[in-house]
Amino acid sequence: MTSTEVQPGGQKSMWATWRARIIGGLAILAVLVIAYFILAAFIPRWWAQRLAGVVGGSFAKGIGWGLVYGGLGTAVPLFLLLSAVLAWRRRAGRFLAGAAVVVAILAAIPNLMTLTIVLGRSNAAHAGERILDVDAPAFRGASLVGAIVAVLVFLAVVGLVLLRKWRRRHPRKSTGQPTAPAPTAGPSSTHPEA
């Protein structure tokens, strides 16, 4: 550091601070890009082999495990994110919201790894597709169905939460007109019949 970067009071100049941030950000970005390429070559094939070991070539197991992974891997993160949003302004809410977001990301990892196989264009993704076609049939389709069902359930719950909040803020107001009393049970008439 040169003498021009230190201001009279012993503080660093704004340029020195931003230069350190930019260099640190570029270093982190480079590490993330390298990690991405390494994981993109490894994850699809490895995840497909894990699924193949669980399913074992059975269509029934492929459908069952696909529904479980797709449904839970979508519903759990979505509901955790909903709880993070709802807890944000409460006491200790920011900590709980942050923890919920971290757990939501971890819970979504199986679906994200399946997406690397389905949407990936690398050799590892194509190898993963071949492994799933042979040893985990019907898994990908069932996983998609499970994810769609989970999203629909989540949207229904969000709709109910929003409706509940709206009803609390806008309670039904009486119209000011008196209502007729409800008829009572018992003799319907005291008039003698002719």
Side-chain angles (χ1 to χ4, degrees), residues 58-128:
S58 168
F59 273 96
K61 285 184 179 180
I63 292 170
W65 283 110
L67 289 173
V68 167
Y69 277 110
L72 291 178
T74 302
V76 170
L78 288 176
F79 282 111
L80 283 169
L81 292 175
L82 177 64
S83 68
V85 169
L86 294 176
W88 180 257
R89 293 197 176 180
R90 294 184 182 164
R91 185 176 183 189
R94 292 184 183 201
F95 173 75
L96 293 175
V101 168
V102 169
V103 175
I105 291 170
L106 293 175
I109 286 177
N111 277 355
L112 295 175
M113 289 190 296
T114 303
L115 275 177
T116 62
I117 295 170
V118 174
L119 300 178
R121 299 289 175 228
S122 67
N123 289 336
H126 292 303

Side-chain angles (χ1 to χ4, degrees), residues 5 20 29 31 38 45 49 91 94 115 122 130 133 156 173 190-191:
E5 292 178 357
L29 183 65
V31 168
I38 291 171
R45 186 177 287 121
Q49 290 170 349
R91 185 176 183 189
R94 292 184 183 201
L115 275 177
S122 67
R130 289 189 298 272
D133 286 342
K173 297 177 183 174
T190 57
H191 301 278

Side-chain angles (χ1 to χ4, degrees), residues 82 86 155-169:
L82 177 64
L86 294 176
L155 291 176
V157 169
V158 167
L160 290 174
V161 167
L162 292 176
L163 181 64
R164 181 178 172 207
K165 282 188 174 190
W166 186 82
R167 283 188 177 169
R168 282 185 178 175
R169 290 184 181 169

Side-chain angles (χ1 to χ4, degrees), residues 1-17 19:
M1 180 165 47
T2 64
S3 61
T4 59
E5 292 178 357
V6 177
Q7 295 178 349
Q11 296 178 348
K12 291 183 181 179
S13 71
M14 186 186 298
W15 169 245
T17 303
R19 184 178 60 198

Side-chain angles (χ1 to χ4, degrees), residues 118-153:
V118 174
L119 300 178
R121 299 289 175 228
S122 67
N123 289 336
H126 292 303
E129 284 180 340
R130 289 189 298 272
I131 292 169
L132 289 182
D133 286 342
V134 174
D135 293 328
F139 178 84
R140 288 179 288 176
S143 180
L144 176 64
V145 170
I148 291 171
V149 169
V151 168
L152 293 176
V153 168

